[in-house]
Amino acid sequence: NAGVMQNPRHLVRRRGQEARLRCSPMKGHSHVYWYRQLPEEGLKFMVYLQKENIIDESGMPKERFSAEFPKEGPSILRIQQVVRGDSAAYFCASSPPGKSGDEQYFGPGTRLTVT
Amino acid sequence: GQNIDQPTEMTATEGAIVQINCTYQTSGFNGLFWYQQHAGEAPTFLSYNVLDGLEEKGRFSSFLSRSKGYSYLLLKELQMKDSASYLCAVRDRNDYKLSFGAGTTVTVRA
């Protein structure tokens, strides 16, 4: 059973470009969470999604950031017009349906570098 | 919101015991988690406490006191591979969102 998959693992973008980060949850999981980890800081919650629904986006910046989890395919975290401050590791986690889960399983992360 | 504090760094010798403390102040509480994270890798689940007391899993144990807003992770018989960052996380009353501390970097020396 494959774990949480994220791609790309490393992404380099110039200022002003768009970044698209993908997350495929574990098989059978329908809850997806995105976290951001800045250098020397803890993980910060960004958004919680279920299939076709954004449940809580309270941790996501109001501008330039959006997330989706379509009926088919991976969850996407999209950052428009990236700035240097967006450089961070972005982790996706998933948990099973029905119960939001005692445990969130994390993917390997996407390390975004904005030059 | 959540305010979670843990020491930044700890160093210990191979074979020894290390205790990582975590204190939290929360508006709601529905469980405390410990994760291990090696540099450049994903956090991996270590333990979960929702009731007061000690949970033991092999060389790792975790303790919780809800009235004191306090937890610790105990690592016994340290091995070199235990060198990593240990993250304390609290789940809020809404049952899904995790709030993380900044992590404690543990260095195990021979």
Side-chain angles (χ1 to χ4, degrees):
Chain A
N1 184 17
V4 179
M5 310 284 283
Q6 288 187 250
N7 69 82
R9 295 292 306 276
H10 299 275
L11 182 61
V12 180
R13 284 286 178 266
R14 291 200 184 97
R15 277 179 297 171
Q17 291 185 319
E18 178 179 287
R20 280 187 175 236
L21 288 62
R22 295 175 194 78
C23 169
S24 296
M26 285 181 71
K27 187 176 180 181
H29 286 191
S30 58
H31 300 246
V32 167
Y33 316 79
W34 285 93
Y35 294 85
R36 177 165 64 175
Q37 187 174 38
L38 293 167
E40 309 303 323
E41 292 187 18
L43 288 105
K44 304 289 186 203
F45 169 81
M46 298 182 74
V47 61
Y48 164 46
L49 308 104
Q50 296 179 15
K51 284 284 187 182
E52 300 184 279
N53 281 309
I54 297 174
I55 308 301
D56 181 347
E57 56 182 349
S58 59
M60 204 142 73
K62 295 282 187 286
E63 297 179 354
R64 303 189 297 108
F65 284 71
S66 62
E68 62 176 11
F69 188 18
K71 188 176 179 181
E72 301 291 337
S75 174
I76 307 284
L77 179 67
R78 182 181 177 208
I79 311 172
Q80 296 177 288
Q81 300 173 347
V82 295
V83 301
R84 288 234 172 95
D86 297 333
S87 295
Y90 292 83
F91 288 95
C92 167
S94 71
S95 65
K99 183 180 179 182
S100 14
D102 288 328
E103 179 180 342
Q104 293 178 14
Y105 296 81
F106 282 81
T110 294
R111 276 145 190 86
L112 172 66
T113 302
V114 179
T115 61
Chain B
Q2 317 277 18
N3 186 23
I4 301 164
D5 289 313
Q6 51 181 130
T8 306
E9 295 180 337
M10 300 183 76
T11 302
T13 307
E14 198 174 13
I17 297 172
V18 71
Q19 177 175 313
I20 307 169
N21 296 324
C22 173
T23 58
Y24 62 90
Q25 295 169 315
T26 63
S27 55
F29 179 84
N30 191 17
L32 187 142
F33 297 76
W34 285 96
Y35 282 82
Q36 181 191 60
Q37 186 179 26
H38 285 98
E41 297 184 10
T44 55
F45 171 80
L46 289 178
S47 70
Y48 165 66
N49 297 69
V50 68
L51 299 176
D52 290 352
L54 187 68
E55 294 282 340
E56 296 188 83
K57 262 191 186 183
R59 294 188 300 114
F60 294 177
S61 304
S62 59
F63 171 83
L64 175 68
S65 169
R66 288 171 296 170
S67 62
K68 295 181 179 176
Y70 168 69
S71 172
Y72 67 73
L73 179 70
L74 195 69
L75 288 62
K76 302 177 202 171
E77 300 170 16
L78 279 172
Q79 303 175 9
M80 299 300 286
K81 67 178 182 180
D82 297 330
S83 292
S85 182
Y86 291 85
L87 313 177
C88 173
V90 174
R91 186 170 63 193
D92 76 7
R93 60 173 172 258
N94 291 320
D95 204 33
Y96 53 83
K97 188 189 304 184
L98 291 180
S99 296
F100 284 84
T104 299
T105 301
V106 172
T107 302
V108 180
R109 292 183 174 163

